[in-house]
Amino acid sequence: MTPVIQTRALTKRYGRRTALHGIDLTIEPGRVFGVIGPNGAGKTTTMRVLLDIIRATSGEVRVLGADPRTAGPDLRRRIGYLPGELALEGRATAHGLLRHYAELSGPVAVGRIEQLSERLGLDLGRPVRSLSKGNKQKVGLVQAFMHDPELLVLDEPTSGLDPLVQQEFLTMVREARDAGRTVFLSSHVISEIQQAADDVAVLRAGRIVDVSTVDRLRAAARRSVRVTVRPDARDALLARLGALPHLEELRYEESDGTVTIHGELGDGVAAFVAAVAVSEPLDLVVQEPDLESAVLGFYGTLGEEGDR
Amino acid sequence: MTTMTVRRPLPLLRRVLADSWRGLIGWSLGLAGVVGMYLPLYSTIGGNPEFLAIIESLPPELVAALSYDQITTGAGYTQGTVHGLIGFVLVTIAAVGWGSSIIAGDDERGTLELTLAHGVDRTQLVLERFGAIALKLLALATLLALMVLALNEPAALELSVEGIVAGSVSLLGLGLLTAAVGTMTGAIVGRRSLAVGAAAGVAVLGYALNALGNQNPDLEWLHALSPYFWAYGAEPLANGFDGLMGLLYAVAAVAVVVAVLAFRRRDVAV
C-alpha cells in the first residue's frame, strides 16, 4: 500500500537556524500516528510543510501520493487540518466561518456541521471572536472533520478542551480510523497520544529520535508516585520499595499520624503496586507520566537545545 | 449523499465583503459628509473676491503646493478641496488599511494559515482579496461621482459629466495604487507595519513630490515620479480623461502581479 504520508530527509532551515534535520516519516493508511515532543521540537513545522503553508528547504514530501508543493488546492481538499496556534477572529458567527471553509474545501454533507457541533457542544450562532479558547478549538475541530477528509492532520488537537469533550474527540478519531481515514496528530501530553494513537514518533530538536509503539514509550516514562500508610508499616514498606529497580528518589514525611512516601517510578508499575499492597495503604497516587519525563527517561538527560 | 451548495464563485472575495461592509458604510458616510460640506460653499469661497484677496496674500509657494491657484473655477475648487485633499486623504487611509490587512494583517493575526490549509490557491487568494478592495474603492469613487453630479448645479460648479467621471477614475486609480503597494509589501514580508508604511509612504511621497514640482520649473521633473501628479496633473475635473491616469492602473497592476509571485513563494505563519 502507498503510504499516506512519506517524507525523506525533510529539512527546513530559517536562515542559520535549522528547524528540521532530515525527517524520515512513513504513515500507512488507516493508522492513527502520533508525534510527541517538547515545544519547539518541530511538530508544527512538519505539519505545515505537509499542508504547503511553509516549504521544505530540502528533502522529499509525499502526501496522498502527491507533492504538496505542486499539487495545489485539490490535495488540500482531501486533508483536514487543525493548526496548533489556532486563531479565529472577526465578526462572523461560527456557522458563517464554517460555511466559508466548507465552500473552499467542500462538499460537506448537509447537517454535518450541526451534527459535529452538537457532539462537541459548540454554539454555532456566536461570533467567533467572542468564543473562549476551548470553543474556538471546537470550531477548529469541526472544520477539520466536516468534509470527511482522507487525512486528518491535527496539531495539539485537545488543547483547551475540557475532559468530556476530549473523550468525544477521541471517539471521533477512532470513528475516522474505522472508516479507513488516516490521522496524524501531535501532542506534548503522553496520555493523549496513548489513548488516541497506534504508532508514535518522538521528535526532539528537529530530529525523530524514535518511532515506537505507545506501550513501549509509556513503560519507560517516569511518573511520580505517592503512598500513605500507617507509621508502623513504614520501615517494611521502605525496604520493599528500596528493592525495586526502577523506583528512585524515595523520601517520606510524617504528619497527622500517617506516613507519606514519595518516589519517581520508571518501568514496573505492577511490582510497585504489589509491594505497596502488602502494607495496606491508606492512599495511593500514581501520576500520569508527562512527555518531558518520558523523553528524558527514554534518552537520558537531554539539554534544552530545542528549536522550532 | 446530499451535499450542501459548494464552490460558488469567488468565495474569498465574498468573504472580505461580508466581513467589511460595515466599515465601507462608515467610509461612505465620511466621504459623503465631506463632499456635502465643501462643495456647496464654492459660491461663498471660491468665487468670493474677499477670499481671492486672502489667497493672493498667501505665500505663492503655499498656494502652489495646495493647488489653490485654480480655486476660482468650479473644477479647481472641487479639486483643491475634495479630490486633491480631503477625499484623497480618506481614500488613501482606507486603501492603506485594506491593502495592508488582506495578506500581512491576516498573516500576523494567525488566521491566514487556516485559510491556506483549505482548498485555496495562493494566486486566487491574492486576486480575490485585492478584487474585493477594488470593488470597495469603486464604490467610494462612484459615490463621489454621484455626489459631485448632484451638487454640480446647486453649487454652480459648472463641471462636465466627463470631468466628474474622470475625477473619480483618477482618485480610484490612486486608491488602487496605494492598496496594491500595501498588498505587495504584505505579500513579500508578511508584516502589517511594513505594509502600512510602504502604502502610506507612497501616497505621502506622491503628494510631496507633486507639491515640490509645483514650486518652480526646475523641480517639475519630480512630477514624473508622483502618482498624485499622474492622477491630477492633467486636471481631469476640468479637462476630462487623459492618458496620464492610466499609469496609476498600470503600476497598480504590476504591484499585484509582484504580490502574487512573491506570495506564491513565501512561507506563511513563521
Side-chain angles (χ1 to χ4, degrees):
Chain A
M1 257 188 303
T2 319
V4 172
I5 294 175
Q6 187 155 40
T7 72
R8 279 166 50 97
L10 169 59
T11 301
K12 178 63 188 178
R13 283 189 212 99
Y14 296 107
R16 297 174 59 191
R17 193 167 58 90
T18 302
L20 300 177
H21 296 266
I23 302 283
D24 294 313
L25 206 57
T26 302
I27 302 179
E28 301 292 340
R31 303 290 286 182
V32 178
F33 192 102
V35 57
I36 59 174
N39 292 331
K43 303 176 299 238
T44 297
T45 302
T46 304
M47 290 181 163
R48 284 176 175 164
V49 169
L50 300 179
L51 271 299
D52 194 39
I53 289 159
I54 63 176
R55 279 69 185 267
T57 307
S58 63
E60 277 176 43
V61 183
R62 309 293 284 180
V63 178
L64 296 166
D67 179 356
R69 185 72 185 80
T70 55
D74 286 337
L75 174 62
R76 289 190 295 277
R77 288 195 181 97
R78 300 163 65 192
I79 307 174
Y81 175 57
L82 174 70
E85 294 158 28
L86 179 65
L88 300 174
E89 292 193 5
R91 213 184 281 267
T93 62
H95 201 233
L97 190 66
L98 288 166
R99 268 208 309 267
H100 171 58
Y101 291 134
E103 280 193 348
L104 299 177
S105 289
V108 169
V110 167
R112 172 79 169 159
I113 289 174
E114 292 75 9
Q115 176 215 343
L116 284 170
S117 303
E118 197 174 316
R119 286 182 71 172
L120 295 169
L122 169 66
D123 179 358
L124 284 171
R126 298 197 26 212
V128 285
R129 66 175 176 191
S130 73
L131 294 177
S132 66
K133 182 175 185 328
N135 278 318
K136 282 185 179 171
Q137 191 74 0
K138 293 174 190 172
V139 175
L141 286 172
V142 173
Q143 63 83 31
F145 279 83
M146 66 184 176
H147 54 301
D148 193 20
E150 291 163 65
L151 169 63
L152 285 154
V153 177
L154 309 171
D155 194 358
E156 302 275 353
T158 61
S159 157
L161 297 181
D162 65 51
L164 273 176
V165 182
Q166 288 188 22
Q167 288 307 313
E168 192 58 42
F169 162 74
L170 291 171
T171 310
M172 283 162 55
V173 168
R174 276 190 289 272
E175 286 172 5
R177 181 190 55 189
D178 293 346
R181 312 297 180 229
T182 308
V183 183
F184 181 40
L185 56 85
S186 76
S187 179
H188 62 277
V189 186
I190 192 171
S191 65
E192 186 172 301
I193 294 289
Q194 189 221 11
Q195 289 174 50
D198 307 310
D199 310 300
V200 59
V202 179
L203 201 58
R204 189 186 64 80
R207 290 186 172 84
I208 290 187
V209 287
D210 192 60
V211 179
S212 164
T213 64
V214 169
D215 292 341
R216 192 172 130 233
L217 188 75
R218 185 175 178 77
R222 296 202 335 166
R223 63 220 85 194
S224 293
V225 295
R226 193 174 77 222
V227 53
T228 306
V229 293
R230 279 181 251 283
D232 55 4
R234 186 190 75 192
D235 292 339
L237 179 57
L238 278 173
R240 279 197 303 281
L241 292 179
L244 293 175
H246 299 291
L247 185 59
E248 289 165 8
E249 296 176 38
L250 267 181
R251 64 193 190 282
Y252 68 90
E253 62 198 37
E254 299 198 35
S255 64
D256 295 335
T258 62
V259 177
T260 302
I261 299 173
H262 301 263
E264 297 289 323
L265 182 65
D267 212 344
V269 176
F272 170 74
V273 173
V276 169
V278 183
S279 306
E280 296 182 357
L282 303 170
D283 192 12
L284 172 62
V285 176
V286 179
Q287 275 186 353
E288 196 79 23
D290 66 299
L291 174 72
E292 213 73 16
S293 73
V295 172
L296 293 179
F298 218 154
Y299 304 104
T301 313
L302 299 168
E304 276 290 314
E305 51 178 287
D307 50 8
R308 259 158 67 106
Chain B
M1 184 167 67
T2 42
T3 56
M4 61 188 269
T5 322
V6 289
R7 309 261 181 97
R8 286 192 293 144
L10 304 175
L12 296 162
L13 183 150
R14 283 185 284 111
R15 184 82 231 155
V16 173
L17 294 181
D19 279 341
S20 64
W21 62 267
R22 288 178 185 81
L24 181 59
I25 287 180
W27 288 110
S28 302
L29 291 175
L31 186 65
V34 167
V35 176
M37 200 170 68
Y38 272 91
L39 293 190
L41 297 177
Y42 168 59
S43 51
T44 49
I45 292 182
N48 182 316
E50 289 173 33
F51 189 72
L52 292 183
I54 295 177
I55 289 191
E56 276 174 22
S57 70
L58 290 174
E61 292 83 4
L62 179 64
V63 173
L66 294 170
S67 305
Y68 278 1
D69 43 350
Q70 302 289 324
I71 207 160
T72 50
T73 67
Y77 177 83
T78 308
Q79 171 64 30
T81 54
V82 175
H83 290 66
L85 199 61
I86 310 285
F88 165 69
V89 169
L90 282 179
V91 166
T92 297
I93 294 173
V96 167
W98 293 339
S100 60
S101 71
I102 53 169
I103 297 178
D106 200 14
D107 195 355
E108 239 171 47
R109 282 195 304 271
T111 44
L112 184 57
E113 178 184 7
L114 187 53
T115 300
L116 289 177
H118 280 279
V120 172
D121 180 78
R122 292 196 184 191
T123 302
Q124 171 200 1
L125 183 130
V126 174
L127 295 182
E128 282 195 34
R129 287 188 170 177
F130 188 79
I133 294 180
L135 283 180
K136 291 198 283 186
L137 289 171
L138 178 64
L140 291 181
T142 305
L143 175 71
L144 173 62
L146 292 175
M147 291 283 299
V148 176
L149 198 59
L151 292 168
N152 193 20
E153 296 232 340
L157 296 170
E158 296 177 344
L159 297 171
S160 67
V161 172
E162 186 197 339
I164 292 171
V165 174
S168 268
V169 169
S170 287
L171 183 57
L172 172 61
L174 260 183
L176 285 173
L177 174 59
T178 301
V181 169
T183 301
M184 178 183 74
T185 310
I188 295 170
V189 297
R191 293 280 301 280
R192 189 165 189 279
S193 54
L194 290 177
V196 167
V202 164
V204 170
L205 195 67
Y207 188 87
L209 289 174
N210 178 70
L212 281 173
N214 288 349
Q215 297 301 321
N216 66 57
D218 288 344
L219 294 173
E220 258 179 29
W221 63 273
L222 291 172
H223 282 155
L225 303 175
S226 164
Y228 186 92
F229 182 83
W230 303 344
Y232 300 130
E235 298 176 22
L237 283 164
N239 303 327
F241 285 99
D242 182 277
L244 199 54
M245 66 179 70
L247 208 49
L248 298 166
Y249 290 84
V251 173
V254 169
V256 171
V257 169
V258 172
V260 167
L261 295 176
F263 191 56
R264 288 190 68 85
R265 299 174 57 87
R266 176 164 81 79
D267 287 347
V268 170
V270 289

